[in-house]
């Protein structure tokens, strides 16, 4: 992921949620996003406005949210990192899927780039050895 963008933890969490919802449903509404992130609709609107102003999102008048190319790059990277960590937690450690997903998102959103890269390398190495 590009460190020059200096995304906050909240912004990473929203980008992940938007990408995940888009993959599941094809369109993303602010109400669904708020529920996914666990915040009020007004909080989600505030953050999507910030992401829009930074060029990560496009927002349609009727409430649909889409990632721009600039937003797609970090969102996809975050999603892929969460997927690898989730797989490791569930398959290698036997963590139940709900807890593993929450933990994987937390690791990626709140962990440092150096730690996440090191974990990714380790998890991929362990997975390839089995």
């Amino acid at each position: 992921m590009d460190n020059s963008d200096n995304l906050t933890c909240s912004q990473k969490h929203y980008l992940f949620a938007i990408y995940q919802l888009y993959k599941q449903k094809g369109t993303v509404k602010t109400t669904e996003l708020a529920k996914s992130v666990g915040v009020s609709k007004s909080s989600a609107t505030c953050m999507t406005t910030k992401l829009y102003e930074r060029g990560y999102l496009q927002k349609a008048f009727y409430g649909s949210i889409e990632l721009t190319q600039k937003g797609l790059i970090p969102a996809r990277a975050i999603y892929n990192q969460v997927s690898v960590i989730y797989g490791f937690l569930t398959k290698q450690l036997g963590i139940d899927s709900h807890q593993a997903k929450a933990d994987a998102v937390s690791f990626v959103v709140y962990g440092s780039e150096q730690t996440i890269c090191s974990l990714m390398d380790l998890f991929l190495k362990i997975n390839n050895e089995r």
Side-chain angles (χ1 to χ4, degrees):
M1 195 174 347
D2 186 1
N3 284 331
S4 66
D5 286 333
N6 295 319
L7 291 165
T8 67
C9 295
S10 292
Q11 290 168 337
K12 289 179 186 179
H13 195 185
Y14 275 83
L15 288 174
F16 168 76
I18 292 165
Y19 188 80
Q20 183 179 33
L21 286 168
Y22 178 77
K23 284 184 68 72
Q24 291 172 352
K25 300 183 178 204
T27 60
V28 180
K29 302 283 187 184
T30 303
T31 306
E32 295 168 329
L33 178 60
K35 184 177 178 184
S36 176
V37 177
V39 299
S40 68
K41 185 178 176 186
S42 63
S43 292
T45 299
C46 182
M47 179 57 79
T48 56
T49 299
K50 289 177 184 178
L51 291 169
Y52 169 79
E53 289 170 351
R54 292 189 62 189
Y56 290 101
L57 302 178
Q58 293 177 344
K59 293 170 68 175
F61 179 73
Y62 52 89
S64 182
I65 301 166
E66 290 184 26
L67 292 164
T68 62
Q69 188 61 34
K70 180 179 179 180
L72 187 60
I73 293 167
R76 186 180 292 140
I78 293 164
Y79 182 86
N80 290 338
Q81 291 170 341
V82 168
S83 295
V84 169
I85 294 171
Y86 171 83
F88 178 80
L89 294 174
T90 56
K91 294 174 185 158
Q92 305 299 329
L93 300 182
I95 307 295
D96 76 85
S97 63
H98 180 68
Q99 186 63 53
K101 180 181 176 192
D103 289 345
V105 171
S106 292
F107 290 161
V108 173
V109 168
Y110 297 107
S112 71
E113 191 69 24
Q114 180 181 6
T115 299
I116 298 306
C117 288
S118 294
L119 284 173
M120 294 288 293
D121 290 345
L122 175 65
F123 296 162
L124 290 171
K125 180 180 178 187
I126 289 170
N127 196 36
N128 287 334
E129 290 176 356
R130 292 185 184 236

